[in-house]
Amino acid sequence: MSEDVMVRQDGNVLVIALSRPEKRNALTASMYAQLAQSFQDAEVSTSVHSILLRGNGGVFTSGNDIGLFLNHDAEGPHEPAAASFIRAVIALSKPLVACVRGHAVGIGATVLLHCDYVVASDDARLRFPFVDLGLCPEFASTLVLERIVGRTKAAEWMLLGAPIPAGEARSAGLVNQIMPAELAEEEALSIAQRFASKPQMALRATRALLRQGGDDSLAERIDWESEVFDALRRTPEAQQIFRLFLDRTPQAMPTHG
Ligand code: COA
């Protein structure tokens, strides 16, 4: 397994750090494999409630190691290595927080589209450089970016490929929050801990509803929400929350942030 990906658990949060700072955390085939494995393990672990993805060395990632595009014999085809990582991210039922410091290029920007919350440092720069590299965006990013920021911004960002300052990414809705660089990681961890402290079944069910996209009719969505709502209402977790509320003793109330 790759030593360029560091994984540690902080309470109920799994912290995954890209750690190849001398190459600006450019992602190799072994890093993709380690990432895919870590996300798959996080999904099945009962003690992991949320995941934080970050980069070491003041950089998120410079994206795919460009050598991977060139040297297919040494590293194998591009698609399977990167795809195993993104597919494991998309398959998560648990919230994923990203902390972006410095550059988030290529797949580093693409993965943000599949996160639930993005904290960026004020010096962060996102970039979709695919056209300039003679390539095209991948992993449904042409679909999801447009949903998040609209056709106009998606076209500007993906066709021109200029670096996107953190403030612009936040105004467009791709970044949730901007922090001074030295505080960004602490803030991102605290957001991941807030997710981890929520009633887990309710959190994951709501996340799944949000991720379904906009293809349902209102009536279909109401039916689906109503089915999930009723199933959640009957769970011991929800029943206990209702009882605690009705008891109303201050120390008995849950303290979800
Ligand atoms: N793949 C392979 N090596 C990379 C890399 C990448 N994606 N990004 C950076 N590196 C390497 C550089 O070749 C350099 O290696 P060296 O020290 O052996 O010469 C080292 O990392 C530092 O890169 P440098 O460009 O000097 O750092 P910087 O801080 O000035 O700039 C970036 C950072 C991210 C803006 C710049 O490195 C860059 O544009 N990288 C390519 C991004 C890209 O197009 N990725 C492909 C996505 S599909």
Side-chain angles (χ1 to χ4, degrees), residues 14 70 154 163 192 204 218 245:
L14 192 75
L70 200 60
R204 287 176 209 165
L218 285 183
F245 180 81

Side-chain angles (χ1 to χ4, degrees), residues 217-238:
S217 69
L218 285 183
E220 284 169 335
R221 184 57 69 101
I222 288 169
D223 287 348
W224 183 21
E225 286 172 347
S226 156
E227 198 178 303
V228 176
F229 188 101
D230 199 49
L232 286 169
R233 186 179 63 75
R234 294 164 194 273
T235 60
E237 186 177 49

Side-chain angles (χ1 to χ4, degrees), residues 84-105:
S84 63
F85 159 50
I86 291 289
R87 292 216 169 94
V89 166
I90 291 171
L92 276 178
S93 67
K94 304 176 182 182
L96 172 59
V97 177
C99 177
V100 179
R101 291 187 58 189
H103 299 285
V105 187

Side-chain angles (χ1 to χ4, degrees), residues 6-87:
M6 299 172 75
V7 182
R8 71 181 169 87
Q9 194 163 336
D10 187 325
N12 293 120
V13 178
L14 192 75
V15 181
I16 302 177
L18 309 173
S19 192
R20 197 185 172 214
E22 71 285 0
K23 297 287 181 188
R24 306 299 183 263
N25 299 333
L27 294 161
T28 60
S30 61
M31 289 171 78
Y32 283 129
Q34 170 77 69
L35 286 165
Q37 189 62 56
S38 300
F39 279 103
Q40 284 159 9
D41 292 348
E43 178 62 17
V44 294
S45 164
T46 51
S47 67
V48 173
H49 293 180
S50 67
I51 299 103
L52 169 61
L53 180 64
R54 46 161 290 186
N56 285 344
V59 176
F60 187 57
T61 170
S62 60
N64 203 71
D65 188 305
I66 290 177
L68 267 185
F69 293 139
L70 200 60
N71 188 352
H72 285 246
D73 293 338
E75 291 273 15
H78 161 62
E79 221 283 325
S84 63
F85 159 50
I86 291 289
R87 292 216 169 94

